[in-house]
Amino acid sequence: MEPTTLTTERLFLRPFAPSDAEEVYAACQDPGIQRWTLVPSPYERVHAEGWVTELSPRGWRDDTAYAFAVRLGAEGPLVAALGVHVRGPGAYEIGYWTAKEHRGRGYMTEAVRGVAHWVFTEVGAGRLEWRAAVGNTASRTVAERAGFRVEGTLRAGLDLRGTLRDCWIGALLPSDLGLPSPLPYLPAVSGTA
């Protein structure tokens, strides 16, 4: 996948660059980000440098993950990180974190909607999944505000640094955003076997 830049009403989303390392490092010192996401804990400078110079670019190059630095405008501060992970043919999962000082302003919901539109119209996904450890109500609120439907709880569905945790799972379909699906969709009819 060619690295892509996206814009929303207030945000500029682009692939991570080496110049982002310091802001990523600072944001990931937040205990909440370390508690609820897959970032290493403790989070060291070497982790941020490896993320922006190796891991994130490799995801784009290998077509396995598309990570975006979410900024307030092209030159604005880093407010969040958002990634779409390729889980298999047509299977995609979104994950994100927001820097503590930028929470509560709707930035992540806006970014998730923008990336979901891109995944459906440019990548060709028929479904975008979201997962979060049970209890991560901030992530769930963002997902629901972006249009995801929470579909249930997966027992031991999330490996968080070597510990299996129960997780919520939700999905967004192209039709939830008024977009066509790449494949026909035949939903189950309630009350039939």
Side-chain angles (χ1 to χ4, degrees):
M1 173 71 68
E2 263 319 295
T4 300
T5 299
L6 306 171
T7 57
T8 66
E9 184 178 330
R10 301 177 292 172
L11 305 171
F12 186 80
L13 293 80
R14 63 159 172 75
F16 281 92
S19 59
D20 297 323
E22 190 58 37
E23 287 176 288
V24 170
Y25 171 73
C28 289
Q29 296 312 297
D30 174 28
I33 290 175
Q34 291 184 29
R35 175 181 180 189
W36 296 115
T37 73
L38 300 177
V39 302
S41 180
Y43 197 84
E44 301 173 359
R45 285 189 196 284
V46 67
H47 297 125
E49 291 166 5
W51 172 250
V52 300
T53 61
E54 296 172 31
L55 296 174
S56 178
R58 184 183 316 140
W60 284 95
R61 186 175 54 250
D62 296 347
D63 229 3
T64 57
Y66 317 124
F68 292 93
V70 180
R71 296 188 164 277
L72 280 175
E75 302 301 322
L78 179 73
V79 299
L82 187 152
V84 175
H85 307 274
V86 181
R87 296 295 183 214
Y92 300 88
E93 182 179 331
I94 196 166
Y96 43 81
W97 55 254
T98 305
K100 189 174 186 176
E101 63 273 17
H102 296 290
R103 293 180 189 147
R105 297 183 180 116
Y107 296 141
M108 185 49 70
T109 300
E110 183 178 328
V112 168
R113 285 183 184 145
V115 169
H117 189 273
W118 171 76
V119 166
F120 292 138
T121 61
E122 301 298 321
V123 179
R127 175 182 166 94
L128 181 60
E129 290 187 351
W130 158 87
R131 295 174 193 230
V134 170
N136 188 349
T137 56
S139 182
R140 182 174 177 153
T141 298
V142 166
E144 290 177 330
R145 287 182 179 162
F148 283 76
R149 292 188 192 174
V150 177
E151 297 174 333
T153 301
L154 301 177
R155 296 182 308 139
L158 184 65
D159 179 346
L160 197 54
R161 287 182 285 286
T163 300
L164 293 175
R165 295 187 175 202
D166 293 348
C167 72
W168 293 316
I169 184 168
L172 188 67
L173 304 179
S175 59
D176 296 332
L177 300 180
L179 299 169
S181 178
L183 296 172
Y185 168 48
L186 182 62
V189 178
S190 269
T192 62

